Amino acid sequence: MKPDCAAGLPLDWGCTDLHPKVLRGVLGSYPTGVAIVATRCPDGRRVGLTINSFASLSLDPPLVLWSLVNHSPNLAAFRDCSHFTISVLACGQEELALRFASSAVPDKFAGAPVHDVPEGVPAIEGAVATLVCANDQQSPAGDHLLLFGRVLRVASVAATPLVFHAGRFTALSAA
């Protein structure tokens, strides 16, 4: 008998139904932070999007990584940029996360609380943490491009981070 992947623990170990909808549901059980990655194109246009694929990679040298789906209209901007920022959003910045996640918003930066870092790329004001990165290297991986950033500078404030879990925004609760 095939285990029912949607109903708790399967009778035998492991569900082999890896349909994207099933896999998305399982991966949604892992809470992630929410961040906006941003850069500036050679023509001066600002590009940014919401990500939850951000992760630390190495402390020496200081490296982080994130991924972007291969069919993204922003792929060339991030693949070819020299620098980008990763702004880890704070609780209360859900509207920004939704704006930068929406393809229906033509200018995601219009009215957004942003400032340029010394490298000339935009960063989100009020973020829990901001990492300014040199675009170090990329690697294709499945239907995504992994982008590795060499961290050049950081800024942080004491605030509660925005969290995404089970298809919705939430926050960490104090222990």
Side-chain angles (χ1 to χ4, degrees), residues 67-76 79 139-146:
S67 65
L68 185 57
V69 69
N70 291 332
H71 62 75
S72 170
N74 299 309
L75 185 67
R79 183 192 61 221
S139 178
D143 61 356
H144 279 65
L145 179 68
L146 293 177

Side-chain angles (χ1 to χ4, degrees), residues 65-139:
L65 67 87
W66 63 284
S67 65
L68 185 57
V69 69
N70 291 332
H71 62 75
S72 170
N74 299 309
L75 185 67
F78 285 104
R79 183 192 61 221
D80 301 337
C81 72
S82 62
H83 296 86
F84 57 82
T85 59
I86 299 173
S87 299
V88 178
L89 298 184
C91 224
Q93 291 185 310
E94 293 89 341
E95 185 277 326
L96 279 174
L98 291 170
R99 177 194 311 190
F100 278 82
S102 174
S103 60
V105 177
D107 181 2
K108 294 171 173 49
F109 291 92
V114 297
H115 65 276
D116 282 350
V117 299
E119 290 73 12
V121 293
I124 302 296
E125 293 179 7
V128 170
T130 299
L131 296 93
V132 180
C133 301
N135 194 352
D136 194 61
Q137 57 186 299
Q138 297 101 31
S139 178

Side-chain angles (χ1 to χ4, degrees), residues 20-36:
K21 184 176 181 181
V22 171
L23 194 54
R24 180 180 290 261
V26 169
L27 294 174
S29 66
Y30 183 67
T32 63
V34 182
I36 292 175

